[in-house]
Amino acid sequence: MKNKKIIIGLPLAALLGLALFAFASNRSVPLRVKAAFVKKFPQVKKVKWDKESDAEWEAEFKMDGMEYSANFLEDGTWKETEHEIEQKDIPDAVKATLDNELPGYEIEEAEISETVDGLTYEFEMEKGEEELEVSIDVHGKLIHKQVVDEEGEKDQD
């Protein structure tokens, strides 16, 4: 009988520990950041917070059936919101740039990024062993292209 209590107690203790960690992590998010998030996304009720850097927080959440991430500075300043898109949802002008500027590369991931400067389309692309991160504006202008090496480090191209 004693063994059954231990077996039941261990998963319960682990679950309680995870819940306390999640609660503690959520509590450490600055109030300004939480308030800015609620103001920008009032309809969102469930948010997972992560510390992106010393000065930046990332919120992950679902909205309209899609997964989003939004980044905020410690003072509550909104920086960016991103969500993945299907290849069929890439505008023609952006597709034309991909075809003309990056022939032979395959899209591994496609996202829309919204910042105070507007919308951009961000791609992770691959051709053989080479991996790129690419940003293109809504008009099809190539804004950024960066090679990513095997360790995930980025080389400016």
Side-chain angles (χ1 to χ4, degrees):
M1 187 70 166
K2 200 174 199 179
N3 290 341
K4 287 182 182 178
K5 288 181 183 176
I6 291 172
I7 291 171
I8 292 171
L10 287 175
L12 183 59
L15 185 60
L16 182 59
L18 284 173
L20 287 173
F21 176 75
F23 180 71
S25 295
N26 194 34
R27 286 188 56 204
S28 63
V29 178
L31 289 176
R32 289 179 181 177
V33 172
K34 288 181 184 179
F37 178 85
V38 169
K39 184 176 181 182
K40 184 139 184 81
F41 304 102
Q43 70 278 25
V44 175
K45 303 298 178 208
K46 188 175 178 183
V47 183
K48 179 183 174 255
W49 288 99
D50 286 312
K51 186 84 167 160
E52 187 80 352
S53 69
D54 287 343
E56 196 168 328
W57 287 87
E58 180 179 64
E60 294 179 350
F61 55 97
K62 283 192 176 184
M63 189 169 64
D64 301 326
M66 290 192 292
E67 292 185 20
Y68 281 76
S69 68
N71 292 49
F72 295 84
L73 297 179
E74 291 273 330
D75 67 1
T77 303
W78 169 75
K79 294 295 292 179
E80 175 184 40
T81 301
E82 294 179 323
H83 68 86
E84 284 191 41
I85 59 170
E86 299 290 327
Q87 288 190 30
K88 65 179 178 54
D89 297 325
I90 300 169
D92 290 339
V94 175
K95 282 182 189 174
T97 300
L98 290 170
D99 292 342
N100 294 331
E101 300 285 331
L102 303 160
Y105 281 87
E106 290 185 29
I107 298 171
E108 298 295 314
E109 186 176 298
E111 294 181 329
I112 289 179
S113 171
E114 178 187 2
T115 66
V116 294
D117 297 326
L119 292 178
T120 58
Y121 291 83
E122 296 180 349
F123 302 94
E124 290 180 14
M125 305 186 74
E126 216 173 72
K127 182 178 183 180
E129 297 293 314
E130 188 173 62
E131 293 182 28
L132 295 178
E133 288 185 358
V134 177
S135 297
I136 300 173
D137 74 12
V138 294
H139 306 292
K141 179 182 176 194
L142 182 63
I143 300 169
H144 176 80
K145 180 175 84 170
Q146 195 167 39
V147 176
V148 180
D149 71 15
E150 291 176 10
E151 287 83 39
E153 295 177 12
K154 301 169 186 175
D155 298 323
Q156 192 66 38
D157 199 31

